[in-house]
Amino acid sequence: MNFISLFYRLAVLSFFAFQAAFSAGALEPSSVVDKLHLSLLETMKKADQLGYSGRYRNLDPVVRSVFDFPSIAQIVVGRYWKDFSEGQRTSFVETFTKLSVATYASRFDDYSNEEFRQVAEDKLKEERVLIKTELKKSNGEVVQLNYVLQPKGNQWKIVNVIANGVSDLSLKRADYTAVLRDKGYDALMAMLNEKIAHYTKPGGNQT
Amino acid sequence: MHKENNERQQRFLFLALAFAGILTGCATTNGGNENNDPAEPGNRVVYDINENLDKYFIKPVAEKYVEYTPKFMRTGITNFYDNLTYPNVILNDFLQGKVKQGFSDLGRLTINTVCGVGGFFDLATKWGVPRHYEDFGQTLGVWGMGEVAYLVLPLKGPNSVRDAPDLATSTLINPLFYIVSPVTIPVGILGALNERAKHLETTRLRDEAALDPYTFTREAYRQKRINDIYDGNPPGQGLDEFIEGKEENGVLIVE
């Protein structure tokens, strides 16, 4: 066995080892969405006893692990991202993440037999995947919830949620860039913090 | 009879003028801007008036309406108005070439009008004849017309040059329009109130989430309309237009 063939074998071996590590450690895109839905359902079922802060604590690690917040935050501010300083970027991503968790904690505040159901999975361009799901409410109303996921490191992460055809990313991008255009970074941050405070304060949406 | 004709002519004239006003308004303001909202300054004025009217008058009344009417009654009223406006859905089914859906909707209208006591009960859905949402704006979209420009209409709210003509077709095809009677106005007002009441939760969530409610509403309206035109399967859900922005020094630039 010469040196080149040994090198070749090692390379192939390490490639398969890497593949195995990736597939063993990483959840499938559909499982990532399931993880979020399960966590939401669990939190909703115990909503009252947990209260807002309990729901926030429960959801925080899951929401942070399933969403690709650095990418989402960068997309929602559009071309203004390049004008942000390093420090501004870091604090924007963190504030945006907190607001996202707070929104989930505030909205999923009761349980009346809602059900999540996965409907389909489509491949998109650039290794992205679309997971189509439905949220069935107790009154029979069905909300279409579609998730766009992309690989990040060795994990699949959610980059967009499309509810009944309305894309969260587009909505926020239009909204946030309008504020950045008219009022600037500090005003945007102040508004986001105000939203978080509104969810947190008694009489906000805290129950 | 003469009086009826006169009134009808007056209403036609009013609609025609309103429509002409919309068109000329756009022709003069359509300079094009990055948000495809050339009428934004005017739109924002109308938006603010609408919001204030809603905040101090329409929304409180709608909340009281929800408080004092039982759910089944509101559902019945919603069904009644849906049924009344359903001929517009059927017309647009056929205009979009959805022949099968058109006949299904024709059956739906018949079932609900005859067996559902003038539309108060939605038996058709129970019997497996589903409700569809079509209007003339969607038809124009299917025929290939773009939004042209976003518009905010007095009282009516978010709209666009493509969607505004539906106001004419849906009015002309609504049986209420042809009934000249003192009850038409209260019936119309109840319809509007009921419509507002259905959206109380949506507007609450919007107010909670939006930083700039005008922009938020515009974007949500646009996306909803595209979703409607494509019957729930719009292209480009991968949002490649955002994510495939060009990279500069490792920073994603999204225009």
Side-chain angles (χ1 to χ4, degrees), chain A residues 64-185:
Chain A
R64 278 175 191 269
S65 74
V66 298
F67 283 92
D68 181 359
F69 283 118
S71 298
I72 296 170
Q74 190 175 335
I75 292 165
V76 296
V77 295
R79 61 193 161 90
Y80 295 94
W81 180 262
K82 66 176 190 299
D83 303 331
F84 287 6
S85 71
E86 208 46 58
Q88 283 179 322
R89 286 176 182 176
T90 313
S91 44
F92 174 69
V93 173
E94 184 51 27
T95 307
F96 183 83
T97 306
K98 277 186 187 152
L99 178 60
S100 304
V101 181
T103 308
Y104 272 112
S106 155
R107 293 212 177 147
F108 290 80
D109 62 347
D110 69 340
Y111 177 69
S112 37
N113 298 308
E114 285 87 352
E115 284 170 30
F116 287 103
R117 204 164 67 87
Q118 292 220 5
V119 191
E121 177 172 337
D122 287 341
K123 287 217 179 322
L124 302 168
K125 281 196 281 180
E126 304 285 318
E127 282 193 281
R128 261 170 244 124
V129 172
L130 181 72
I131 304 284
K132 295 184 173 179
T133 76
E134 284 177 355
L135 166 63
K136 197 177 171 198
K137 297 186 179 173
S138 54
N139 61 5
E141 190 195 329
V142 173
V143 181
Q144 279 184 12
L145 283 176
N146 293 351
Y147 293 87
V148 180
L149 290 93
Q150 65 181 10
K152 178 97 173 189
N154 65 345
Q155 285 182 319
W156 286 96
K157 299 243 179 182
I158 300 168
V159 276
N160 195 15
V161 186
I162 304 153
N164 278 345
V166 179
S167 145
D168 192 48
L169 215 48
S170 312
L171 212 53
K172 291 216 169 85
R173 192 178 69 130
D175 201 14
Y176 287 28
T177 52
V179 174
L180 285 165
R181 181 196 62 199
D182 299 338
K183 297 176 182 151
Y185 177 87

Side-chain angles (χ1 to χ4, degrees), chain B residues 101-160:
Chain B
Q101 185 177 313
F103 281 111
S104 160
D105 283 336
L106 203 57
R108 186 182 156 85
L109 177 70
T110 316
I111 293 170
N112 282 347
T113 307
V114 179
C115 312
V117 201
F120 277 98
F121 299 99
D122 178 11
L123 294 175
T125 302
K126 275 200 185 103
W127 296 349
V129 188
R131 192 204 194 294
H132 294 106
Y133 296 84
E134 305 291 356
D135 54 64
F136 195 59
Q138 289 186 52
T139 299
L140 291 174
V142 169
W143 291 353
M145 183 177 175
E147 179 192 52
V148 185
Y150 178 69
L151 293 176
V152 181
L153 304 182
L155 290 172
K156 183 87 183 152
N159 217 288
S160 73

Side-chain angles (χ1 to χ4, degrees), chain B residues 52-71:
Chain B
N52 280 318
L53 261 176
D54 186 65
K55 186 176 168 194
Y56 294 108
F57 180 64
I58 303 168
K59 193 175 141 210
V61 178
E63 281 168 346
K64 285 282 168 225
Y65 166 74
V66 171
E67 203 180 319
Y68 286 103
T69 48
K71 181 109 201 297

Side-chain angles (χ1 to χ4, degrees), chain A residues 15-28 154-156:
Chain A
F15 174 73
F16 281 113
F18 173 77
Q19 284 282 79
F22 186 88
S23 51
L27 294 171
E28 290 293 308
N154 65 345
Q155 285 182 319
W156 286 96

